[in-house]
Amino acid sequence: MAKNKRIDAPTGTSTVGHEWDGIEELDTPLPRWWLLTFYVCILISVVYVFLFPAIPLANSATRGFLGWSSHGQFEAEMAAAAARRAPVAKALADIPIESLPANPQLMAAAIEGGRAAFKVHCVQCHGSGAAGSKGYPNLNDDDWLWGGDIASIQTTLIHGIRNPEHDETRASAMPAFGEILQPAEINSLVAYVQTISGQAKPNAASARGAALFAANCVVCHGPQGAGIRELGSPKLTDGIWLYGGDAATLRRTITYSRAGVMPRWNNRLDPVTIKMLAAYVYSLGGGEVAPQVAATVAAPATPAAPGGAPAAAPADAATVAPNVQP
Amino acid sequence: MSSLSDLTSPNSPLYQKRKGVYPKAVDGFFRRLKWVIMAVTLTIYYVTPWLRWDRGPYAPSQAVLVDLAHRRFYMFSIEIWPHEFYYVAGMLVMAGIGLFLVTSAVGRAWCGYACPQTVWTDLFQHVERWIDGDRNAQIRLANAPWTAAKTTRRAAKYSIWLLIAISTGGAWIFYFADAPTLLRDFLTGNAPSVAYATVGVLTATTFVFGGFMREQVCIYMCPWPRIQTAMLDEKSLIVTYKDWRGEPRTQGLKKAAATEASFDDKLGDCIDCNQCVSVCPTGIDIREGPQIGCITCALCIDACDKVMDQIGRPRGLIDYATLEDAVIEKAGGTAPPVLKTLLRPRTIIYFTIWASIGAAMLFTLGQRTRLDISAQHDRNPAFVQLSDGEVRNNYTVKIRNMETRPRVVTLAISGLPGAVAWAETGSRATATTTMRVPVPADSVTKVRLFVAAPGAGPQRSPLTISAKFDASGAEAGRSEADSVVANFERAKPVEEGEE
């Protein structure tokens, strides 16, 4: 097509020789500065090749005189971020956990840090919204097995629940009543538990169950079935069940017992992260005011003492059945 | 490409050296108009950031401020938040339609008078004339060897250009931060590095574009001329050489007189004095007809009028005219008055649209409620079963206080029987349906709202969340945000008889 090149009369410029339906294109020369700009770009690219990693080799690439690498930049940025966070981390490390909720700014920082840590370490059992599932408590609600104040939550996080080979772990065990009671007796207990939790009307079976409950269960669950936090025994009179409140699940729970386990975190996470996780769980809506500050202060040392925390996923076996999640 | 010579042929070089343009000084109506416009636009540019506007203790006192760091745009009494960016979009739409309007009426008037490239190039050219002399002296100097005198002149010229460039780039940054503070920080070396970088880049572009690139920017770099060229029609005013009056040209008056005497033929008014070419800042010859290089600065009109006066011929050999006028005048008729050309359906429609958008924006600006809420329902979990059988839903409520004073806003829930709400600082024991939330001046406050309601009910019901401010006394005022209807969710109702 180039053979159709001609000089365009009005402009005196040559055409490129293409023609479509009578439309031609002028071959207007490029301004020289444009060409120079192009050469400068080429020059810059050459300099770039020497300064930065550029030419691929068998196992790596040329390093460049500046020594830059994306890994190095990443690490530098992470270090810078850590340095930026350092004052907050320091403040969090210094503040007693009970005082944290009263410090809104630090609390907000802790909640955000906890939210991030939760997404890494906790979602596997408790779910990304902390709503739990069968056997794994919902951390949003107001029902706590081991205590819902922030210090108790932290204790649970530090020591875990029924965590093997850890002396300070929160621990309790519900007997498997299948070896102690007859199946009919267990059925009566189920009827009674369904009665006190408002799921069924009292009847003959539940009356028999009341006697059995008094004989076998009140030690841990209390005379009214309200649960005892020091033991992590669930409240049987509310609408929240860890494993399920229906007759079949209750029967299974009483017969075979339950013993959920939550790992301890003090051997995996630093204290500040644990504190931030406690703040996050506390902030989900069910956090409780510390019952007695004095008692909770002592708590970390003696796990059994303070109210237990919920953060735990364990199904606390202690007893019969508690919590179903909504 | 059929052969190598296509690439190397001297007839079609791959690149072209810039031809020097040394516009001659000229005086006349349009030159004076350009002076005025240059003075006004430069004054607006340099002075605006220094205007003050009292907004009270909680907002900056700079009249025009694009506060990128805090995401606020202040323009006198107007404050724009990021979510109100549609006002900026509206201004851009107005600028676009304004371009249609101006171009359809008076052609490339923007290019010729108001474009920063034109204004600063003009300024640089005046400096050039002041140092180097007018056109001829400039050409001589450009061709002269590099003597000490030339070097001195060049150094002087570049220094003044650089000063203008620095102050141009320097003025820009004041639109983005408090001008007096920034100036102090800038001079003491404490300004943010982005300020220095911005000044550096803008200094470089001003210096290069105004001093060296000049018309190359208009012809090769700028998309605006191409767009405007496409929008011109036969009724747009453009700078026109009236060839039917000027042609055939003659060389000089005496020659014209002689020629006229010897031939009966009528000769044109153009004496080919080349003044129109000499004064042209883009170096074109307007007598070749309308072309992309013409920015319609009208300096050739001034130059030609002056010559016509000197040789005693009527002015307006080169003049603003439409293509339609040209056809009429060529046929011997009289072109309609300019006003009639300007006021035609196309321009009136553009103006009506442009003005309507402006009026609509002004109206909505006056109607704005400076209080706003939004509510986001927690989706994971969507609801929480509480131990006493009630159900809790969580919401993240954001309250925007867009006034420049702190306010205590009443946040309320309604529309859901038995529902009570509390925030992070409260508890279910103290929950009610309203709460008072202090919101700092000109900021957003986030409230985690917990709402508990009886467990029995539909799976999804509406919950109205509203915010209002009503105060008397020193902090008097009243505004009510558009309330938000959020979902309140419960478990799927259990089939009857399950209990």
Side-chain angles (χ1 to χ4, degrees), chain B residues 106-119:
Chain B
V106 289
R108 289 175 60 181
W110 166 262
C111 295
Y113 299 92
C115 173
Q117 173 66 19
T118 297
V119 170

Side-chain angles (χ1 to χ4, degrees), chain A residues 45-66:
Chain A
S45 71
V46 171
V47 173
Y48 186 96
V49 163
F50 284 100
L51 293 184
F52 289 94
I55 301 168
L57 306 173
N59 295 316
S60 62
T62 53
R63 294 193 164 204
F65 294 128
L66 291 185

Side-chain angles (χ1 to χ4, degrees), chain A residues 2-3 5 7 14 16 27-35 111-112 115 127-131 138 140-143 198-200 235 237-240 283-286 324-326, chain B residues 1-3 5-7 9 11-18 213 216-217 220-221 288 378 380-381 383-389 392 394 422 424 427-428 446 448 450 491 498-499:
Chain A
K3 66 179 182 294
K5 282 173 98 161
I7 301 295
S14 168
V16 293
D27 192 10
T28 309
L30 199 66
R32 190 174 61 169
W33 57 264
W34 202 311
L35 194 73
I111 290 170
E112 288 313 311
R115 191 192 310 281
S128 60
N138 184 344
N140 292 276
D141 63 28
D142 58 349
D143 189 36
Q199 298 185 75
K235 190 175 180 181
T237 55
D238 62 19
I240 297 180
S283 78
L284 289 173
V324 154
Q325 92 228 59
Chain B
M1 298 288 165
S2 55
S3 73
S5 66
D6 285 336
L7 287 168
S9 160
N11 293 330
S12 55
L14 274 176
Y15 65 88
Q16 192 173 48
K17 193 179 166 200
R18 174 179 179 248
M213 299 290 289
Q216 301 281 305
V217 173
Y220 293 104
M221 293 165 68
E288 288 169 2
D378 273 14
N380 183 9
F383 60 89
V384 177
Q385 191 73 50
L386 297 177
S387 53
D388 64 358
R392 192 185 80 217
N394 305 344
W422 69 99
E424 254 172 350
S427 72
R428 201 170 159 209
K446 194 159 88 170
R448 265 301 271 159
F450 301 109
E498 184 104 346
E499 293 285 310

Side-chain angles (χ1 to χ4, degrees), chain B residues 252-329:
Chain B
L253 272 182
K254 283 179 186 161
K255 207 170 185 178
T259 321
E260 220 159 1
S262 54
F263 298 94
D264 263 356
D265 225 4
K266 170 83 175 71
L267 280 176
D269 283 344
C270 178
I271 55 168
D272 211 5
C273 63
N274 236 29
Q275 290 300 299
C276 52
V277 179
S278 305
V279 299
C280 182
T282 62
I284 60 162
D285 185 348
I286 192 65
R287 295 172 299 176
E288 288 169 2
Q291 51 202 288
I292 190 80
C294 178
I295 58 170
T296 72
C297 65
L299 292 181
C300 52
I301 299 179
D302 282 344
C304 190
D305 281 353
K306 202 170 159 195
V307 172
M308 289 297 118
D309 287 350
Q310 284 166 354
I311 63 172
R313 287 180 183 166
R315 289 178 156 216
L317 177 58
I318 303 175
D319 203 355
Y320 270 112
T322 69
L323 289 176
E324 218 164 57
D325 293 347
V327 172
I328 295 171
E329 286 191 19

